[in-house]
């Protein structure tokens, strides 16, 4: 079964750092286009970052220079390192991927909540 | 960055109604557009990809159309389980952008 499971969320003070993990099963992370998408409480969806199978990475302007997407092929896991966190980074963070020839993300994790507050 | 303008932001409808939601891209995106349904506390669910292709397992009452800059999601006969928020997503760019969402509520 194809599955994504995010972990690592929690309460963090402004300026702090957190690393989210997304463990994949049923497919190979390194062969897929993997994304992080977030949703602030009561708000819409925002695509945060993507890593292509070839290793190219892209970031939303709102997180550029603060967040880093990466993967560990041996663990079949995607990561999001978040530094210099701000209150406006408070959100549920989802990892997501497309499968086969469909690039549009069709498989999503359950999400992990990050709360940035003093 | 490509902006996606989705409308309406909310609508009230009855079971059996035909519902239409639109998305307009700030520049041409070919047919690189998907539609999602999201229920409270749940991850988004892909309904339509490539503007008009029905994702496996999604009921045929959902359909999508459009190309270039203007796109439409249609629910032909609204069912009780369809009350949710719907989002469009352009994945033409290397980093996609979502529309603002449309909340479909019970009239």
């Amino acid at each position: 079964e194809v599955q994504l499971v995010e972990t690592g969320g929690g309460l963090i003070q402004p300026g702090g750092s957190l690393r989210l993990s997304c463990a994949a099963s049923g497919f190979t992370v390194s062969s897929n286009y993997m994304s992080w998408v977030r949703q602030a409480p009561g708000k819409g969806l925002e695509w945060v970052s993507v890593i292509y199978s070839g290793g190219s990475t892209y970031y939303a302007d709102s997180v550029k220079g603060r967040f880093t997407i990466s993967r560990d092929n041996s663990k079949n896991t995607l990561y999001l390192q978040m530094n210099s966190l701000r209150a406006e980074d408070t959100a549920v963070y989802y990892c997501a991927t497309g499968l086969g020839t469909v690039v549009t993300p069709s498989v999503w994790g359950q999400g992990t909540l990050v709360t940035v507050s003093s | 960055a490509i902006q996606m303008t989705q409308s309406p932001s909310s609508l009230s409808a009855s079971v059996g109604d035909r519902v239409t939601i639109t998305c307009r891209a700030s520049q041409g995106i070919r047919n690189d557009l998907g539609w999602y349904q999201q229920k409270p506390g749940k991850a988004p669910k892909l309904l339509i990809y490539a503007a008009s292709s029905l994702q496996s397992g999604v009921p045929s009452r959902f359909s999508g159309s459009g190309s270039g800059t203007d796109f439409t999601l249609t629910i032909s006969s609204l069912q009780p389980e369809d009350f949710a928020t719907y989002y469009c997503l352009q994945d033409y760019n290397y980093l996609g952008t979502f529309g603002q969402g449309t909340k479909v509520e019970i009239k």
Side-chain angles (χ1 to χ4, degrees), chain B residues 45-96:
Chain B
K45 173 186 175 183
L46 181 64
L47 302 175
I48 301 286
Y49 64 93
S52 59
S53 296
L54 193 66
Q55 174 69 359
S56 176
V58 174
S60 59
R61 63 181 180 273
F62 292 94
S63 64
S65 64
S67 67
T69 59
D70 293 308
F71 302 86
T72 300
L73 173 71
T74 300
I75 309 172
S76 60
S77 177
L78 199 65
Q79 298 302 300
E81 60 268 30
D82 301 337
F83 292 96
T85 300
Y86 294 83
Y87 295 92
C88 63
L89 165 69
Q90 69 80 15
D91 52 4
Y92 173 81
N93 264 9
Y94 44 77
L95 196 66

Side-chain angles (χ1 to χ4, degrees), chain A residues 10-77:
Chain A
L11 175 63
I12 188 78
Q13 291 189 338
S17 297
L18 209 57
R19 189 179 79 159
L20 305 183
S21 300
C22 172
S25 56
F27 72 99
T28 303
V29 163
S30 61
S31 299
N32 270 47
Y33 164 111
M34 301 292 300
S35 300
W36 287 99
V37 174
R38 69 183 180 183
Q39 186 168 37
K43 302 298 184 182
L45 299 164
E46 179 186 18
W47 204 324
V48 171
S49 182
V50 61
I51 183 167
Y52 280 77
S53 56
S56 298
T57 59
Y58 300 93
Y59 301 91
D61 287 344
S62 57
V63 307
K64 201 173 293 182
R66 300 187 299 123
F67 289 13
T68 302
I69 190 172
S70 63
R71 64 192 181 206
D72 184 331
N73 297 343
S74 67
K75 295 182 179 179
N76 208 33
T77 298

